[in-house]
Amino acid sequence: MARYSAFRLFREGLRGNSGWRPAWRAAEPKPAYDAVVIGGGGHGLATAYYLAKLHGLTNIAVVEKGWIGGGNAGRNTTIIRSNYLYDESAAIYNHALTLWKTLGRELNFNIMMSHRGVINLAHDEGEARQLKRRVEANRLNGVDAEWLDEHGVKEFCPIINISRDIRYPVIGGTLQRSGGVNRHDAVVWGYARKCDEMGVDILQNCEVTGIRVEAGAVIGIDTSRGFIKTPKLASVTAGHTSVIAAMVGLRLPIESHPLQALVSEPLKPIHPCVVMSNAVHVYCSQSDKGELVIGAGIDAHVSYTQRGSIDIIEHQMGSLLELFPIFSRLRLMRQWGGIVDVCPDASPIISKTPVKGFYINGGWGTGGWKATPGSGHAFADLIANDEPNAIAAPFTMERFVTGNLVAEHGAAAVAH
Ligand code: FAD
Ligand code: PYC
């Protein structure tokens, strides 16, 4: 079998890949659908998948202005964990973590899920106290969180520098062993293939340019590929949530910022887990290809450019080398940026809107990848039943009026 696959790979290489079957159809837009999802990232495709699979809605489309996975889904550093402070967050991120565990099998696609453990570092007593409090809250919510002193951190991640002689010494950290990383493209492609199998149309290069509303209800969308009629419209457009909301006259309390990351040349396996530091604004893991995947905090300015600024990289490299002096001769290969929509409480919006039939999922800030399956699952339920379920209810837009915020700036763990 393996020989056959290797031969097939070789033959396809010579034939310009003409023998491979596309994993999903290049669908043409129909004049009308029962529901349309705007945004072909992980969350949008997961939403369509669960709408079709669990709610029997198969006459639906995912409308993507570029290519699927070309937004934050394809730009993020894939860190997955559920160690948030509040019960509401633990519920949704735990739900996602549970779904991640079996998603590869469910989609019949190797999403390279690796539960290698995520460490969040503390560099001073104040931070340690906050993190220990979070460990206690996590445990009450069934999250496998542990506190490690600096020697425990070193034991789990032998290449880290725990010298007390640096600007921000490591004095300990939290560990979530079930946290980890996976392969973003595979998740997107796996969801897309399953959606397609169930009859969902995936419309790429199809930008939504306007939303038509009559008598307070959605009736359809204008797109770069024509008008599409629909009574249910779901925006899942990380980075552009407020742009889409503005199409129905809705103003959201969201700020859109660049967030960048970079990868190094490939190395032999050296870095066994994920290490994040909120205080020094750097985090790092090693991909299965061997590249170090290194991220930073957001750029402070608001912007819709999918790129970050050089001063962030300078700072990020300084912090990286203090924590991992072993990387001092590392060469960097690629750098890129995405746009993250940040809500005032650093928690997402999963909500109906004042416009009947128009639903919003967005505002995941720097941390939505980990939520992808849980978010799609809960959002599909909201769209199908027109009411949020227990997991989605705390994240409706009403909280910005009632003041019932879910303040997760600390647990976001990437400065914003
Ligand atoms: P997207 O993949 O951005 O999907 C939205 C889609 O909407 C895009 O494809 C876009 O083209 C489309 N769209 C926008 N406007 C229109 C329109 N008018 N018409 C049609 N389509 C439209 N999260 C974590 O949990 N862990 C991490 O390690 C992590 N690292 C990150 C690192 C970086 C550098 C970045 C930028 C983000 C990171 N995140 C991380 C955050 C995470 O990537 C996002 O929260 C999450 O991917 C958002 O999911 P999405 O599917 O909604 O986004
Ligand atoms: O939310 O864990 C996270 C994260 C890591 C990198 C970017 N976001």
Side-chain angles (χ1 to χ4, degrees):
M1 182 64 192
R3 260 180 41 231
Y4 169 76
S5 301
F7 174 69
R8 172 105 198 262
L9 207 59
F10 180 66
R11 196 179 59 185
E12 288 304 332
L14 293 178
R15 293 196 325 189
N17 296 324
S18 57
W20 296 122
R21 241 192 25 219
W24 56 88
R25 294 162 294 131
E28 284 301 314
K30 292 186 201 160
Y33 291 97
D34 295 336
V36 170
V37 175
I38 315 175
H43 288 235
L45 288 161
T47 303
Y49 170 73
Y50 295 112
L51 274 174
K53 186 182 171 206
L54 302 179
H55 303 283
L57 274 170
T58 52
N59 179 32
I60 63 179
V62 176
V63 174
E64 166 55 49
K65 73 174 173 184
W67 66 96
I68 64 165
N72 288 347
R75 293 161 190 270
N76 81 94
T77 46
T78 76
I79 297 174
I80 286 164
R81 56 189 176 85
S82 62
N83 56 351
Y84 282 66
L85 181 62
Y86 289 102
D87 301 354
E88 295 86 345
S89 316
I92 190 159
Y93 292 111
N94 268 342
H95 180 46
L97 191 53
T98 304
L99 292 173
W100 280 123
K101 287 180 184 160
T102 51
L103 192 65
R105 226 174 308 137
E106 180 170 346
L107 300 179
N108 188 23
F109 211 109
N110 183 4
I111 62 165
M112 298 170 79
M113 189 67 231
S114 159
H115 299 276
R116 62 183 66 177
V118 176
I119 291 180
N120 293 94
L121 295 175
H123 300 274
D124 62 41
E125 288 303 332
E127 210 177 2
R129 267 198 298 275
Q130 290 291 333
L131 285 177
K132 285 179 187 170
R133 176 189 174 210
R134 187 134 64 83
V135 166
E136 300 302 334
N138 286 165
R139 288 183 170 207
L140 289 172
N141 280 317
V143 177
D144 57 325
E146 302 165 40
W147 171 257
L148 304 177
D149 65 13
E150 74 263 41
H151 303 291
V153 170
K154 180 87 180 161
E155 200 179 322
F156 201 76
C157 184
I159 57 171
I160 201 163
N161 177 16
I162 56 165
S163 160
R164 286 277 164 150
D165 226 10
I166 56 178
R167 256 181 329 159
Y168 295 97
V170 173
I171 67 164
T174 63
L175 169 64
Q176 185 176 9
R177 290 178 194 267
S178 64
V181 286
N182 59 15
R183 173 102 170 91
H184 40 26
D185 295 327
V187 173
V188 167
W189 298 335
Y191 271 128
R193 189 172 69 175
K194 277 283 176 210
C195 281
D196 180 76
E197 279 171 20
M198 291 185 287
V200 176
D201 282 352
I202 294 166
L203 307 174
Q204 300 186 90
N205 297 312
C206 186
E207 179 168 5
V208 174
T209 51
I211 300 175
R212 294 198 204 172
V213 176
E214 259 178 35
V218 164
I219 58 157
I221 47 174
D222 292 302
T223 80
S224 52
R225 296 175 71 179
F227 176 69
I228 299 173
K229 203 170 155 198
T230 186
K232 284 189 189 248
L233 181 64
S235 167
V236 201
T237 49
H240 288 84
T241 314
S242 18
V243 176
I244 298 291
M247 292 179 184
V248 297
L250 203 59
R251 196 151 171 250
L252 298 176
I254 277 180
E255 279 187 4
S256 304
H257 291 264
L259 178 66
Q260 55 181 313
L262 37 81
V263 291
S264 73
E265 61 188 328
L267 306 175
K268 293 240 169 83
I270 177 83
H271 186 10
C273 57
V274 180
V275 173
M276 307 184 65
S277 167
N278 206 359
V280 303
H281 305 326
V282 80
Y283 61 88
C284 180
S285 67
Q286 186 170 19
S287 76
D288 290 335
K289 249 197 292 180
E291 298 165 340
L292 290 176
V293 182
I294 308 163
I298 58 169
D299 282 51
H301 57 279
V302 292
S303 164
Y304 285 114
T305 57
Q306 293 193 109
R307 59 199 281 192
S309 28
I310 189 79
D311 59 302
I312 297 278
I313 299 177
E314 262 186 306
H315 184 100
Q316 181 185 13
M317 290 302 108
S319 304
L320 182 79
L321 293 189
E322 213 177 49
L323 291 177
F324 300 101
I326 190 175
F327 296 146
S328 63
R329 286 189 294 148
L330 192 70
R331 280 169 296 197
L332 300 174
M333 301 276 280
R334 297 186 301 281
Q335 175 272 351
W336 66 90
I339 311 159
V340 296
D341 279 354
V342 183
C343 287
D345 56 355
S347 283
I349 296 172
I350 306 174
S351 190
K352 293 206 276 192
T353 69
V355 177
K356 190 169 162 25
F358 181 52
Y359 308 87
I360 290 181
N361 179 326
W364 290 91
T366 56
W369 179 253
K370 66 176 77 62
T372 302
S375 155
H377 193 264
F379 195 40
D381 194 78
L382 166 63
I383 297 162
N385 299 314
D386 209 34
E387 276 308 321
N389 63 22
I391 286 183
F395 301 106
T396 61
M397 294 195 307
E398 279 78 42
R399 76 179 190 273
F400 301 118
V401 178
T402 61
N404 284 330
L405 302 179
V406 187
E408 290 287 9
H409 285 282
V414 171
H416 65 250

